[in-house]
Amino acid sequence: MTLHTDATHDPALRSWVDSANVAGCDFPIQNLPFGRFRAADGGARIGVAIGDQILDLRAAGLAGSDDMNALMAMPPAQRRALRERISQGLAAGSAQQAAWAPALVARAQAEMLLPCRIGDYTDFYTSVHHATNVGRQFRPDNPLLPNYKWVPIGYHGRASSIGVSGARVKRPMGQRKAPDAAAPVLAPCERLDYELELGWFIGQGNAQGAPIAMGEAEQHLFGVALFNDWSARDIQGWEYQPLGPFLSKNFASTLSPWVVTMEALAPFRAPFARPEGDPQPLPYLDSAENRAHGAFSITLEVLLQTARMRAEGIAPVVLSRTDTTRAAYWTPAQLVAHHTVNGCNLQSGDLFGSGTLSGPGETEAGSLLELAAAGQRPVPLPTGERRSFLEDGDTLTLRGWCERAGAVRIGLGEASGTVVG
Ligand code: CA
């Protein structure tokens, strides 16, 4: 486990890239997230975000290839060594400055790509508040099913439709049926929603038939990005029984381009605990280390700007804000241990969606379905517009960051997408 902070987290550390030293910056030298961008020759290059710049790893002599999945699959000790080299080279006063300065690319000019080849994508359901809120919409008399507090619930999603921030998301067609209608119709989705999630990336895989125990689980995690699991609620309500979501989810998902590593998250760990009266995890999902610091404190925020707000020069409004420690019922290590307990093999670049991260409060919900109470309480906007679900032209943005006394704030950047008809 990457439990401890080291010289790369030193709050006094500053970079010769001046923009990385600005207070509140998402990408100070203590962060160093990985992403891929399009190089001048059209190929995909691996970069590390530093302030408003990207360090091209190949141009800086730090990577022999542009294969992010191979980089992610490195043993954790090698990953830490690479992080130390990058940190030392970008630190103020480094002898590398002259050699690395030409390897910088302005982030504003760079076209970002998906961080890696995503092999398989699994979406979990780790917020008990979201599970209860949504369960109440679909099953008023039985909101939380009895397996929830024992099993990290998830389903296998589809990787082909996952895109990177800045995407245009086409409103899907699908089958839906009004409760009082005799038959369903095929029509454009009328209840288009977002889901505020984190995407956890697998680094090292495991062999089929060889489960990953809790003690090793974090060795297999590479890092985290923001993840919007766009959802068609009317299609979902009709199709989800008995096998779960299908076309209501797989038309599009949007990732932020920068993967913040497990190493960078080290200062922002938190204890894992169960509310009083809830069952304790079964032994294969339990460990002293997980209880002590298996959770992560990441502040998450959702912003909306409608086409009219954009036309009138009105800034995006914050729809909700929460913290993962208030929302997640399971830790990332528990997701890895559970996913592999039957012998399922994970591969470098696999993606675990956290599930919608809704906190307990009304302003902490991670979807419009919850914020607007399934259309009964539309969300008012500064233009006088109201939203129960997303409309064409709406731009939805997820943001995330970590803050703690004694540590430098790091950000996850943003995952943004605009709905088109
Ligand atoms: Ca989801």
Side-chain angles (χ1 to χ4, degrees):
M1 282 193 170
T2 311
L3 303 178
H4 304 295
T5 55
D6 55 31
T8 66
H9 304 95
D10 181 355
L13 203 57
R14 295 174 71 80
S15 175
W16 50 264
V17 180
D18 290 334
S19 57
N21 304 322
V22 175
C25 159
D26 273 353
F27 307 123
I29 191 168
Q30 289 81 1
N31 193 346
L32 306 176
F34 290 84
R36 288 195 306 171
F37 64 101
R38 198 177 299 287
D41 63 6
R45 286 288 184 89
I46 302 174
V48 165
I50 178 78
D52 62 6
Q53 303 289 311
I54 300 169
L55 179 70
D56 180 330
L57 287 202
R58 190 139 67 93
L62 289 161
S65 85
D66 300 309
D67 186 343
M68 181 74 104
N69 294 65
L71 185 151
M72 292 166 73
M74 289 195 308
Q78 271 185 42
R79 276 168 41 190
R80 279 195 293 278
L82 177 60
R83 174 177 166 87
E84 279 164 26
R85 261 181 90 191
I86 297 170
S87 175
Q88 286 164 10
L90 287 172
S94 166
Q96 299 290 345
Q97 180 173 352
W100 285 11
L104 292 179
V105 177
R107 281 203 294 119
Q109 255 86 64
E111 179 196 348
M112 294 307 297
L113 308 169
L114 279 175
C116 63
R117 290 188 317 279
I118 301 170
D120 283 304
Y121 153 52
T122 303
D123 201 18
F124 285 92
Y125 205 45
T126 63
S127 163
V128 67
H129 309 293
H130 174 72
T132 306
N133 293 341
V134 172
R136 199 175 287 124
Q137 308 290 348
F138 289 111
R139 296 177 306 275
D141 49 342
N142 187 21
L144 195 67
L145 295 171
N147 57 4
Y148 186 86
K149 293 184 174 179
W150 297 95
V151 180
I153 300 290
Y155 69 96
H156 284 127
R158 192 164 175 85
S160 66
S161 52
I162 299 174
V164 74
S165 184
R168 287 158 66 85
V169 174
K170 190 166 166 52
R171 180 176 296 275
M173 294 285 287
Q175 259 198 47
R176 54 187 164 84
K177 190 182 98 55
D180 53 351
V185 293
L186 179 72
C189 166
E190 284 186 347
R191 305 184 112 202
L192 185 60
D193 201 356
Y194 61 87
E195 291 191 333
L196 166 64
E197 301 198 21
L198 288 171
W200 296 94
F201 282 94
I202 298 301
Q204 283 186 301
N206 61 305
Q208 190 173 5
I212 300 171
M214 277 298 285
E216 284 80 52
E218 286 196 4
Q219 309 264 7
H220 294 263
L221 285 162
F222 179 74
V224 70
L226 298 160
F227 187 65
N228 180 353
D229 182 22
W230 304 91
S231 296
R233 301 298 182 196
D234 39 7
I235 300 170
Q236 184 180 354
W238 173 232
E239 77 174 5
Y240 87 106
Q241 288 180 315
L243 287 185
F246 181 34
L247 302 185
S248 56
K249 301 282 188 175
N250 70 2
F251 57 95
S253 306
T254 302
L255 266 173
S256 58
W258 296 106
V259 183
V260 172
T261 61
M262 301 307 283
E263 288 75 30
L265 291 173
F268 308 102
R269 289 180 164 277
F272 161 86
R274 279 282 180 259
E276 198 158 336
D278 278 17
Q280 296 301 319
L282 290 176
Y284 81 97
L285 295 172
D286 200 2
S287 75
E289 286 187 327
N290 190 61
R291 285 173 186 256
H293 34 58
F296 296 87
S297 176
I298 304 173
T299 305
L300 298 166
E301 195 174 74
V302 180
L303 299 103
L304 175 69
Q305 187 184 45
T306 67
R308 191 165 143 201
M309 289 168 67
R310 203 157 39 246
E312 295 179 11
I314 299 172
V317 289
V318 175
L319 290 183
S320 70
R321 184 184 288 179
T322 190
D323 186 282
T324 42
T325 53
R326 294 173 59 75
Y329 197 79
W330 302 101
T331 64
Q334 288 172 319
L335 303 185
V336 171
H338 182 67
H339 205 306
T340 61
V341 72
N342 66 344
C344 175
N345 50 320
L346 305 177
Q347 302 183 85
S348 175
D350 283 359
L351 179 67
F352 287 6
S354 61
T356 308
L357 292 168
S358 298
E362 273 190 8
T363 59
E364 293 181 79
S367 70
L368 262 179
L369 179 73
E370 295 163 85
L371 281 179
Q376 293 166 37
R377 198 177 58 220
V379 176
L381 299 171
T383 46
E385 298 172 285
R386 285 146 49 102
R387 284 291 181 275
S388 290
F389 293 97
L390 296 171
E391 296 189 8
D392 293 351
D394 287 356
T395 297
L396 199 288
T397 301
L398 311 182
R399 284 190 190 149
W401 63 89
C402 304
E403 276 179 313
R404 175 164 289 174
V408 171
R409 174 197 186 278
I410 62 170
L412 277 71
E414 64 177 46
S416 188
T418 300
V419 178
V420 297

